[in-house]
Amino acid sequence: MDSRTEKTLFLDDREFTLIGTAHISAESIEDVSTYISEQQPDCVAVELDEKRYEAITNPSAWSNLDIVKVLKSNEGFLLLANLVLSSFQRRLGKNVGVHPGDEMKAAINRAKMMNIPVAMIDRPVQVTLRRAWNKNSLFGKCKLLATLLVNSFSTEDVSSEQIENLKKTSEMDSMMGELSQYMPAIKEVLIDERDRYLAAKLYRCQGKRILAVLGAGHLAGVQKHLELFASGKESTDVSDIEKVSAGGKSMKIAVWLIPLFIIAMLAAGFYFGGVKTGRAMLGSWILWNGLLSALGTLFAGGHIFTILTAFIAAPLTSLCPFVGAGMVTGVVQAMVCKPKVSDMETLQEDMLSIKTIYKNRILRTLLVFLLSTVGSSVGTFVAGASFFSLSGFFQAK
């Protein structure tokens, strides 16, 4: 096995072996299976949480998905992000005949065959995604949405050699460096926090000889934290990153400030500019917000009734911090074009192409949710900017 993808640490009279994998690597599957058979560790720890384990071992897990409940719980973006990340790995692994997480499944199956205890040591994916979303600024959220859209429609082909290169430290360091510069908040949550979380859970595993199967990008970080735990310089208490953060103070302020600003501008338009100017500003608000949200819904393949709903709802929801345009349009789309069982069964596979995304009713609902939200957000800023050109409210009546 490549020394760059395996680390053995002797800490507190225990042996920790870290195997770094590419999650879509055929070689990684063989590596972990061979190691477990030959070395027979006391415990096998894998970079999974219970829900992700169920998702990769139970293909029918998606059949219980209630898309309306997801949208009403404000989890539309989280589900979409999860699907995009999963489909991106599936797209890459398709070229080498490997599914994402196959090396984790192989490790678990081999451990069970040999009656070796298995530990799931990753943080629940919903907590990770929520923390990543909440930590981002408004601009960061926009960049994240743009990245999701680009990856959703990507048709990039990657060779098996490139996939194996993902396990090389130099390749991974380069990727992490780029991520840190482009989206530092995302890198902090997806990599730095999880390095610490994985290491803490790993350190608590029972046994003298413990094997950890991790993505190669986590190897260096997990090693660093394990050594800090052993030296007493860091606590294994990770309760501070086990819960969802409420988001930055600036975002909390912005959520209320923007609607209040719009309402204040409209009121000032009527007061200082008179009824004519006030109506012009109100009309601009309704037109831009409703029209762009409706256009987003149209591009997403929304039902005509959903498109009309977007036009009506967006100007109202943009003034309410608790209900977004996407929540309303997504629920309406799911009601008028009810998802079928077949849509749930093929959910992940259908993420692999634009054609099947639009054919799958669940994915089309999520696309409606996303694009109507983006349209409404853009409309808010366009309409707000138009208020300044309608300068009648600056003049005395």
Side-chain angles (χ1 to χ4, degrees), residues 250-337:
S250 60
M251 280 305 301
K252 292 179 182 178
I253 295 173
V255 164
W256 286 100
L257 194 59
I258 293 174
L260 290 174
F261 171 77
I262 295 298
I263 293 171
M265 289 287 282
L266 289 171
F270 278 100
Y271 184 81
F272 292 108
V275 174
K276 183 178 179 181
T277 298
R279 284 179 177 175
M281 292 172 63
L282 183 60
S284 177
W285 171 256
I286 293 172
L287 180 64
W288 283 114
N289 214 302
L291 182 61
L292 292 180
S293 184
L295 281 174
T297 307
L298 176 64
F299 290 147
H303 189 276
I304 183 62
F305 189 67
T306 311
I307 296 171
L308 292 173
T309 300
F311 184 83
I312 296 169
L316 299 173
T317 57
S318 294
L319 299 176
C320 177
F322 306 111
V323 181
M327 182 190 297
V328 177
T329 57
V331 170
V332 170
Q333 178 69 23
M335 292 176 66
V336 296
C337 296

Coordinates of all heavy atoms in Angstrom, one line a residue, residues 250-337:
S250 N -24.1 38.8 11.3 CA -24.4 39.7 10.1 C -25.6 39.1 9.3 O -26.4 39.8 8.8 CB -23.2 39.8 9.2 OG -22.7 38.5 8.8
M251 N -25.6 37.7 9.2 CA -26.7 37.1 8.5 C -28.1 37.3 9.2 O -29.1 37.5 8.6 CB -26.4 35.6 8.3 CG -25.5 35.3 7.1 SD -26.0 36.1 5.6 CE -27.6 35.3 5.4
K252 N -28.0 37.2 10.5 CA -29.3 37.4 11.3 C -29.8 38.8 11.1 O -31.0 39.0 10.9 CB -29.0 37.2 12.8 CG -28.7 35.8 13.2 CD -28.4 35.7 14.7 CE -28.0 34.3 15.1 NZ -27.7 34.2 16.5
I253 N -28.9 39.8 11.1 CA -29.3 41.2 10.9 C -29.8 41.4 9.4 O -30.8 42.0 9.2 CB -28.1 42.1 11.1 CG1 -27.7 42.1 12.6 CG2 -28.4 43.6 10.7 CD1 -26.4 42.8 12.9
A254 N -29.1 40.8 8.5 CA -29.5 40.9 7.0 C -30.9 40.4 6.8 O -31.6 40.9 6.0 CB -28.4 40.3 6.1
V255 N -31.2 39.2 7.4 CA -32.5 38.6 7.2 C -33.6 39.6 7.5 O -34.7 39.6 6.9 CB -32.6 37.3 8.1 CG1 -34.0 36.9 8.2 CG2 -31.7 36.2 7.5
W256 N -33.4 40.4 8.5 CA -34.5 41.4 8.9 C -34.3 42.7 8.2 O -35.2 43.4 7.9 CB -34.5 41.6 10.4 CG -35.1 40.4 11.2 CD1 -34.4 39.4 11.8 CD2 -36.5 40.1 11.3 NE1 -35.3 38.5 12.3 CE2 -36.6 38.9 12.1 CE3 -37.6 40.8 10.9 CZ2 -37.8 38.4 12.4 CZ3 -38.9 40.2 11.3 CH2 -38.9 39.0 12.0
L257 N -33.0 43.1 8.0 CA -32.7 44.4 7.5 C -33.2 44.7 6.1 O -33.7 45.7 5.8 CB -31.2 44.6 7.6 CG -30.7 46.1 7.4 CD1 -31.3 47.0 8.5 CD2 -29.2 46.1 7.4
I258 N -33.0 43.7 5.3 CA -33.5 43.8 3.9 C -35.0 44.1 3.7 O -35.4 45.0 3.1 CB -33.0 42.6 3.0 CG1 -31.5 42.6 2.9 CG2 -33.6 42.7 1.6 CD1 -30.9 41.4 2.2
P259 N -35.8 43.2 4.4 CA -37.3 43.5 4.3 C -37.6 44.8 4.9 O -38.5 45.5 4.3 CB -37.9 42.3 5.1 CG -36.9 41.2 5.0 CD -35.6 41.9 5.0
L260 N -37.0 45.2 6.0 CA -37.3 46.5 6.6 C -36.9 47.6 5.8 O -37.6 48.6 5.7 CB -36.6 46.6 8.0 CG -37.2 45.7 9.1 CD1 -36.3 45.7 10.4 CD2 -38.6 46.0 9.4
F261 N -35.8 47.5 5.1 CA -35.3 48.5 4.2 C -36.3 48.7 3.0 O -36.7 49.8 2.6 CB -33.9 48.1 3.6 CG -33.5 49.0 2.5 CD1 -33.0 50.3 2.8 CD2 -33.5 48.6 1.2 CE1 -32.5 51.1 1.8 CE2 -33.1 49.4 0.2 CZ -32.6 50.7 0.4
I262 N -36.8 47.6 2.4 CA -37.7 47.6 1.3 C -39.0 48.3 1.8 O -39.6 49.2 1.1 CB -38.0 46.2 0.8 CG1 -36.7 45.6 0.2 CG2 -39.1 46.3 -0.3 CD1 -36.2 46.4 -1.0
I263 N -39.5 47.9 2.9 CA -40.8 48.5 3.4 C -40.6 50.0 3.7 O -41.5 50.8 3.4 CB -41.2 47.7 4.7 CG1 -41.6 46.3 4.4 CG2 -42.4 48.5 5.4 CD1 -41.9 45.4 5.6
A264 N -39.5 50.3 4.3 CA -39.2 51.8 4.6 C -39.1 52.6 3.3 O -39.6 53.7 3.2 CB -37.9 51.9 5.4
M265 N -38.5 52.0 2.3 CA -38.4 52.7 1.0 C -39.7 52.9 0.3 O -40.0 54.0 -0.2 CB -37.5 51.9 0.0 CG -36.0 51.9 0.4 SD -35.2 53.5 0.1 CE -35.0 53.4 -1.7
L266 N -40.6 51.9 0.4 CA -41.9 52.0 -0.2 C -42.7 53.1 0.6 O -43.4 53.9 0.0 CB -42.6 50.6 -0.1 CG -42.1 49.6 -1.1 CD1 -42.8 48.2 -0.8 CD2 -42.4 50.0 -2.5
A267 N -42.6 53.0 1.9 CA -43.3 54.0 2.7 C -42.9 55.4 2.4 O -43.7 56.4 2.3 CB -43.2 53.7 4.2
A268 N -41.5 55.6 2.3 CA -41.0 56.9 1.9 C -41.4 57.3 0.6 O -41.6 58.5 0.3 CB -39.4 56.8 2.0
G269 N -41.6 56.4 -0.3 CA -42.0 56.8 -1.7 C -43.4 57.3 -1.7 O -43.7 58.4 -2.3
F270 N -44.3 56.7 -0.9 CA -45.7 57.2 -0.8 C -45.7 58.6 -0.1 O -46.4 59.5 -0.5 CB -46.6 56.2 -0.1 CG -47.1 55.1 -1.0 CD1 -46.5 53.9 -1.0 CD2 -48.2 55.4 -1.8 CE1 -47.0 52.9 -1.8 CE2 -48.7 54.4 -2.7 CZ -48.1 53.1 -2.7
Y271 N -44.9 58.7 1.0 CA -44.9 59.9 1.8 C -44.3 61.1 1.1 O -44.9 62.2 1.1 CB -44.2 59.6 3.2 CG -44.3 60.7 4.1 CD1 -45.5 60.9 4.9 CD2 -43.3 61.6 4.3 CE1 -45.6 62.0 5.8 CE2 -43.4 62.7 5.2 CZ -44.5 62.9 5.9 OH -44.6 63.9 6.8
F272 N -43.1 60.9 0.6 CA -42.4 62.0 0.0 C -42.7 62.2 -1.5 O -42.7 63.4 -2.0 CB -40.9 61.9 0.2 CG -40.4 61.9 1.6 CD1 -40.0 60.8 2.2 CD2 -40.4 63.1 2.2 CE1 -39.5 60.8 3.5 CE2 -40.0 63.2 3.6 CZ -39.5 62.1 4.2
G273 N -43.0 61.2 -2.2 CA -43.2 61.3 -3.6 C -44.6 61.3 -4.0 O -45.0 61.6 -5.2
G274 N -45.5 61.0 -3.1 CA -46.9 61.0 -3.5 C -47.4 59.6 -3.9 O -46.6 58.7 -4.1
V275 N -48.7 59.5 -4.2 CA -49.3 58.2 -4.6 C -48.7 57.7 -5.9 O -48.4 56.5 -6.0 CB -50.8 58.4 -4.7 CG1 -51.5 57.1 -5.3 CG2 -51.5 58.8 -3.4
K276 N -48.4 58.6 -6.8 CA -47.9 58.2 -8.1 C -46.6 57.5 -8.0 O -46.3 56.4 -8.5 CB -47.8 59.4 -9.1 CG -47.4 59.0 -10.5 CD -47.3 60.2 -11.4 CE -46.9 59.9 -12.8 NZ -46.8 61.0 -13.7
T277 N -45.7 58.1 -7.3 CA -44.3 57.6 -7.1 C -44.4 56.3 -6.2 O -43.8 55.3 -6.6 CB -43.4 58.6 -6.4 OG1 -43.3 59.7 -7.2 CG2 -42.0 57.9 -6.1
G278 N -45.2 56.3 -5.2 CA -45.4 55.1 -4.4 C -45.9 53.9 -5.2 O -45.4 52.8 -5.0
R279 N -46.9 54.2 -6.0 CA -47.4 53.1 -6.9 C -46.4 52.6 -7.8 O -46.3 51.4 -8.1 CB -48.7 53.6 -7.6 CG -49.9 53.7 -6.8 CD -51.1 54.2 -7.6 NE -52.3 54.2 -6.8 CZ -53.5 54.7 -7.3 NH1 -53.5 55.3 -8.5 NH2 -54.5 54.7 -6.5
A280 N -45.6 53.5 -8.4 CA -44.5 53.1 -9.3 C -43.5 52.2 -8.6 O -43.1 51.2 -9.2 CB -43.9 54.3 -9.9
M281 N -43.1 52.5 -7.4 CA -42.2 51.7 -6.7 C -42.8 50.4 -6.3 O -42.1 49.3 -6.4 CB -41.7 52.5 -5.4 CG -40.9 53.7 -5.7 SD -40.6 54.7 -4.3 CE -39.6 53.6 -3.3
L282 N -44.0 50.4 -5.9 CA -44.7 49.1 -5.5 C -44.8 48.2 -6.7 O -44.6 47.0 -6.6 CB -46.1 49.4 -4.9 CG -46.9 48.2 -4.4 CD1 -46.1 47.5 -3.3 CD2 -48.3 48.7 -3.9
G283 N -45.2 48.8 -7.9 CA -45.3 48.1 -9.1 C -44.0 47.5 -9.5 O -43.9 46.3 -10.0
S284 N -42.9 48.3 -9.3 CA -41.5 47.8 -9.7 C -41.2 46.6 -8.8 O -40.6 45.6 -9.2 CB -40.5 48.9 -9.5 OG -39.2 48.4 -9.8
W285 N -41.5 46.7 -7.5 CA -41.2 45.6 -6.5 C -42.0 44.3 -6.9 O -41.4 43.2 -7.0 CB -41.6 46.0 -5.1 CG -41.6 44.9 -4.1 CD1 -42.6 44.2 -3.6 CD2 -40.4 44.4 -3.6 NE1 -42.2 43.3 -2.8 CE2 -40.8 43.3 -2.7 CE3 -39.1 44.6 -3.7 CZ2 -39.9 42.6 -2.0 CZ3 -38.2 43.9 -3.0 CH2 -38.6 42.8 -2.1
I286 N -43.2 44.4 -7.2 CA -44.0 43.3 -7.6 C -43.6 42.7 -8.9 O -43.4 41.5 -9.1 CB -45.5 43.6 -7.7 CG1 -46.1 44.0 -6.3 CG2 -46.4 42.5 -8.3 CD1 -47.5 44.6 -6.3
L287 N -43.3 43.6 -9.9 CA -42.9 43.1 -11.2 C -41.6 42.3 -11.2 O -41.5 41.2 -11.7 CB -42.8 44.3 -12.2 CG -42.4 43.9 -13.6 CD1 -43.5 43.0 -14.3 CD2 -42.2 45.2 -14.5
W288 N -40.5 43.0 -10.7 CA -39.2 42.4 -10.7 C -39.1 41.1 -9.8 O -38.6 40.1 -10.3 CB -38.2 43.4 -10.3 CG -37.8 44.4 -11.3 CD1 -38.0 45.7 -11.3 CD2 -37.2 44.1 -12.6 NE1 -37.6 46.3 -12.4 CE2 -37.0 45.4 -13.2 CE3 -36.7 43.0 -13.2 CZ2 -36.5 45.5 -14.5 CZ3 -36.1 43.1 -14.4 CH2 -36.0 44.3 -15.1
N289 N -39.7 41.2 -8.6 CA -39.6 40.1 -7.7 C -40.4 38.9 -8.3 O -40.0 37.8 -8.3 CB -40.1 40.5 -6.4 CG -39.3 39.8 -5.2 OD1 -39.4 38.5 -5.2 ND2 -38.7 40.5 -4.4
G290 N -41.7 39.2 -8.6 CA -42.5 38.1 -9.1 C -42.1 37.6 -10.5 O -42.1 36.4 -10.7
L291 N -41.7 38.5 -11.4 CA -41.3 38.0 -12.7 C -40.1 37.2 -12.7 O -40.0 36.1 -13.4 CB -41.0 39.3 -13.6 CG -40.7 39.0 -15.1 CD1 -41.8 38.2 -15.8 CD2 -40.4 40.3 -15.8
L292 N -39.0 37.6 -12.0 CA -37.8 36.8 -12.0 C -38.0 35.4 -11.3 O -37.4 34.4 -11.6 CB -36.7 37.6 -11.3 CG -36.2 38.8 -12.2 CD1 -35.1 39.5 -11.4 CD2 -35.7 38.4 -13.5
S293 N -38.8 35.4 -10.2 CA -39.1 34.2 -9.5 C -39.9 33.3 -10.5 O -39.6 32.0 -10.5 CB -39.8 34.4 -8.2 OG -40.0 33.2 -7.5
A294 N -40.8 33.8 -11.2 CA -41.6 33.0 -12.1 C -40.7 32.5 -13.3 O -40.9 31.4 -13.7 CB -42.8 33.9 -12.7
L295 N -39.8 33.3 -13.7 CA -38.9 32.9 -14.8 C -38.0 31.7 -14.3 O -37.8 30.8 -15.0 CB -38.0 34.0 -15.3 CG -38.7 35.0 -16.2 CD1 -37.7 36.2 -16.5 CD2 -39.0 34.3 -17.6
G296 N -37.6 31.8 -13.1 CA -36.8 30.8 -12.5 C -37.6 29.5 -12.4 O -37.1 28.4 -12.7
T297 N -38.8 29.6 -12.0 CA -39.7 28.4 -12.0 C -40.0 27.9 -13.4 O -40.0 26.6 -13.5 CB -41.1 28.8 -11.4 OG1 -40.8 29.5 -10.1 CG2 -42.0 27.6 -11.1
L298 N -40.1 28.7 -14.4 CA -40.3 28.3 -15.7 C -39.0 27.5 -16.2 O -39.2 26.4 -16.8 CB -40.5 29.5 -16.6 CG -40.6 29.2 -18.1 CD1 -41.8 28.3 -18.5 CD2 -40.7 30.5 -18.9
F299 N -37.8 28.0 -16.0 CA -36.6 27.4 -16.4 C -36.4 26.0 -15.7 O -35.8 25.1 -16.2 CB -35.4 28.2 -16.1 CG -35.3 29.5 -17.0 CD1 -34.8 30.6 -16.5 CD2 -35.8 29.4 -18.3 CE1 -34.7 31.8 -17.3 CE2 -35.7 30.6 -19.1 CZ -35.2 31.7 -18.6
A300 N -37.0 25.9 -14.5 CA -36.9 24.7 -13.7 C -37.9 23.6 -14.2 O -38.0 22.5 -13.7 CB -37.1 24.9 -12.2
G301 N -38.8 24.0 -15.2 CA -39.8 23.1 -15.7 C -41.0 23.0 -14.8 O -41.7 22.0 -14.8
G302 N -41.3 24.1 -14.0 CA -42.4 24.1 -13.1 C -43.8 24.1 -13.9 O -43.9 24.5 -15.0
H303 N -44.8 23.6 -13.2 CA -46.2 23.6 -13.7 C -46.6 25.0 -13.9 O -46.2 25.9 -13.2 CB -47.1 22.8 -12.8 CG -48.4 22.5 -13.3 ND1 -49.5 23.4 -13.2 CD2 -49.0 21.4 -13.9 CE1 -50.6 22.9 -13.7 NE2 -50.3 21.7 -14.2
I304 N -47.5 25.3 -14.8 CA -48.0 26.6 -15.1 C -48.6 27.2 -13.8 O -48.5 28.4 -13.5 CB -49.1 26.6 -16.2 CG1 -49.6 28.1 -16.5 CG2 -50.3 25.7 -15.9 CD1 -48.5 29.0 -17.0
F305 N -49.3 26.4 -13.0 CA -49.9 26.9 -11.8 C -48.8 27.3 -10.8 O -48.9 28.2 -10.0 CB -50.8 25.8 -11.1 CG -51.6 26.3 -10.0 CD1 -52.6 27.2 -10.1 CD2 -51.3 25.8 -8.7 CE1 -53.3 27.7 -9.0 CE2 -52.0 26.2 -7.6 CZ -53.0 27.2 -7.8
T306 N -47.7 26.5 -10.8 CA -46.5 26.8 -9.9 C -45.9 28.2 -10.4 O -45.4 29.0 -9.5 CB -45.5 25.7 -10.0 OG1 -46.1 24.5 -9.8 CG2 -44.4 25.9 -8.9
I307 N -45.8 28.4 -11.7 CA -45.3 29.6 -12.2 C -46.1 30.8 -11.8 O -45.5 31.8 -11.3 CB -45.2 29.6 -13.8 CG1 -44.2 28.4 -14.2 CG2 -44.7 30.9 -14.3 CD1 -44.2 28.2 -15.7
L308 N -47.4 30.7 -11.9 CA -48.3 31.8 -11.4 C -48.1 32.0 -9.9 O -48.1 33.1 -9.4 CB -49.7 31.4 -11.7 CG -50.1 31.4 -13.2 CD1 -51.5 30.9 -13.5 CD2 -49.9 32.8 -13.8
T309 N -48.0 30.9 -9.2 CA -47.8 31.0 -7.7 C -46.5 31.7 -7.4 O -46.5 32.6 -6.5 CB -47.7 29.6 -7.1 OG1 -49.0 28.9 -7.3 CG2 -47.5 29.7 -5.6
A310 N -45.5 31.5 -8.1 CA -44.2 32.2 -7.9 C -44.3 33.7 -8.1 O -43.8 34.5 -7.3 CB -43.1 31.6 -8.9
F311 N -45.1 34.0 -9.2 CA -45.2 35.5 -9.4 C -46.0 36.2 -8.3 O -45.7 37.3 -7.9 CB -46.0 35.7 -10.8 CG -46.1 37.1 -11.2 CD1 -45.1 37.7 -11.8 CD2 -47.3 37.8 -10.9 CE1 -45.2 39.1 -12.2 CE2 -47.4 39.2 -11.2 CZ -46.3 39.8 -11.9
I312 N -47.0 35.5 -7.8 CA -47.8 36.1 -6.7 C -47.1 36.0 -5.3 O -47.1 37.0 -4.6 CB -49.1 35.3 -6.6 CG1 -50.0 35.5 -7.9 CG2 -49.9 35.8 -5.4 CD1 -51.2 34.7 -8.0
A313 N -46.4 34.9 -5.1 CA -45.8 34.7 -3.7 C -44.5 35.4 -3.5 O -44.3 35.9 -2.4 CB -45.6 33.2 -3.5
A314 N -43.7 35.5 -4.5 CA -42.3 36.1 -4.3 C -42.3 37.5 -3.7 O -41.5 37.7 -2.8 CB -41.6 36.0 -5.6
P315 N -43.1 38.4 -4.2 CA -43.1 39.8 -3.7 C -43.5 39.8 -2.2 O -43.1 40.7 -1.4 CB -44.1 40.5 -4.5 CG -44.2 39.8 -5.8 CD -44.0 38.4 -5.4
L316 N -44.3 38.8 -1.8 CA -44.7 38.7 -0.4 C -43.7 38.0 0.5 O -43.4 38.5 1.6 CB -46.1 38.0 -0.3 CG -47.3 38.7 -1.0 CD1 -48.5 37.8 -1.0 CD2 -47.6 40.0 -0.4
T317 N -43.2 36.9 0.0 CA -42.3 36.1 0.8 C -40.9 36.8 1.0 O -40.2 36.6 2.0 CB -42.0 34.7 0.2 OG1 -41.5 34.9 -1.2 CG2 -43.3 33.9 0.2
S318 N -40.6 37.7 0.0 CA -39.3 38.4 0.2 C -39.4 39.4 1.3 O -38.3 39.9 1.7 CB -39.0 39.2 -1.1 OG -38.8 38.3 -2.2
L319 N -40.5 39.7 1.8 CA -40.7 40.6 3.0 C -40.9 39.8 4.3 O -41.1 40.4 5.3 CB -41.9 41.5 2.7 CG -41.8 42.4 1.5 CD1 -43.1 43.3 1.4 CD2 -40.6 43.4 1.6
C320 N -40.8 38.5 4.2 CA -41.0 37.7 5.4 C -39.8 36.8 5.6 O -39.5 35.9 4.7 CB -42.2 36.8 5.2 SG -42.5 35.7 6.6
P321 N -39.0 37.0 6.6 CA -37.8 36.2 6.9 C -38.0 34.7 7.1 O -37.1 33.9 7.0 CB -37.2 36.8 8.1 CG -37.9 38.1 8.3 CD -39.2 38.0 7.7
F322 N -39.3 34.3 7.4 CA -39.5 32.9 7.8 C -40.0 32.0 6.7 O -40.0 30.8 6.8 CB -40.6 32.9 8.9 CG -40.2 33.8 10.1 CD1 -40.9 35.0 10.4 CD2 -39.2 33.5 10.9 CE1 -40.6 35.8 11.4 CE2 -38.8 34.3 12.0 CZ -39.5 35.4 12.2
V323 N -40.5 32.6 5.6 CA -41.0 31.8 4.5 C -40.4 32.3 3.2 O -40.5 33.5 2.9 CB -42.5 31.9 4.4 CG1 -43.0 31.1 3.2 CG2 -43.2 31.5 5.7
G324 N -39.7 31.4 2.4 CA -39.1 31.8 1.2 C -40.0 31.4 0.0 O -40.9 30.6 0.1
A325 N -39.7 32.1 -1.1 CA -40.5 31.8 -2.3 C -40.3 30.3 -2.7 O -41.3 29.7 -3.1 CB -40.0 32.7 -3.5
G326 N -39.1 29.8 -2.6 CA -38.9 28.4 -2.9 C -39.7 27.4 -2.1 O -40.1 26.4 -2.7
M327 N -39.9 27.7 -0.9 CA -40.7 26.8 0.0 C -42.2 26.7 -0.6 O -42.7 25.6 -0.7 CB -40.8 27.3 1.4 CG -41.5 26.4 2.3 SD -41.8 27.1 4.0 CE -40.2 27.2 4.6
V328 N -42.7 27.9 -1.0 CA -44.1 27.9 -1.5 C -44.2 27.2 -2.8 O -45.0 26.4 -3.1 CB -44.6 29.4 -1.6 CG1 -46.0 29.4 -2.2 CG2 -44.6 30.1 -0.2
T329 N -43.3 27.6 -3.8 CA -43.3 27.0 -5.1 C -43.0 25.5 -5.1 O -43.6 24.8 -5.8 CB -42.3 27.7 -6.1 OG1 -41.0 27.7 -5.5 CG2 -42.7 29.2 -6.2
G330 N -42.1 25.1 -4.2 CA -41.7 23.7 -4.1 C -42.9 22.9 -3.7 O -43.2 21.8 -4.2
V331 N -43.6 23.4 -2.6 CA -44.7 22.6 -2.1 C -45.8 22.6 -3.1 O -46.4 21.5 -3.3 CB -45.2 23.3 -0.8 CG1 -46.6 22.7 -0.4 CG2 -44.2 23.1 0.3
V332 N -46.1 23.7 -3.8 CA -47.1 23.7 -4.9 C -46.8 22.7 -6.0 O -47.6 22.0 -6.5 CB -47.3 25.1 -5.4 CG1 -48.2 25.1 -6.6 CG2 -47.9 26.0 -4.3
Q333 N -45.5 22.8 -6.4 CA -45.1 21.9 -7.5 C -45.3 20.4 -7.1 O -45.7 19.6 -7.9 CB -43.6 22.2 -7.9 CG -43.0 21.3 -8.9 CD -43.6 21.5 -10.3 OE1 -44.1 22.6 -10.6 NE2 -43.5 20.5 -11.2
A334 N -44.9 20.1 -5.9 CA -45.0 18.7 -5.4 C -46.5 18.3 -5.3 O -46.8 17.1 -5.5 CB -44.4 18.6 -4.0
M335 N -47.4 19.2 -5.1 CA -48.8 18.9 -5.0 C -49.5 18.7 -6.3 O -50.3 17.8 -6.5 CB -49.5 20.0 -4.2 CG -49.1 20.0 -2.7 SD -49.9 21.4 -1.8 CE -51.6 20.9 -1.8
V336 N -49.1 19.6 -7.3 CA -49.7 19.5 -8.6 C -49.0 18.4 -9.5 O -49.7 17.9 -10.4 CB -49.7 20.8 -9.4 CG1 -50.6 21.8 -8.6 CG2 -48.3 21.4 -9.6
C337 N -47.8 18.1 -9.2 CA -47.1 17.0 -9.9 C -46.5 16.1 -8.9 O -45.3 16.1 -8.6 CB -45.9 17.6 -10.8 SG -46.5 18.7 -12.1

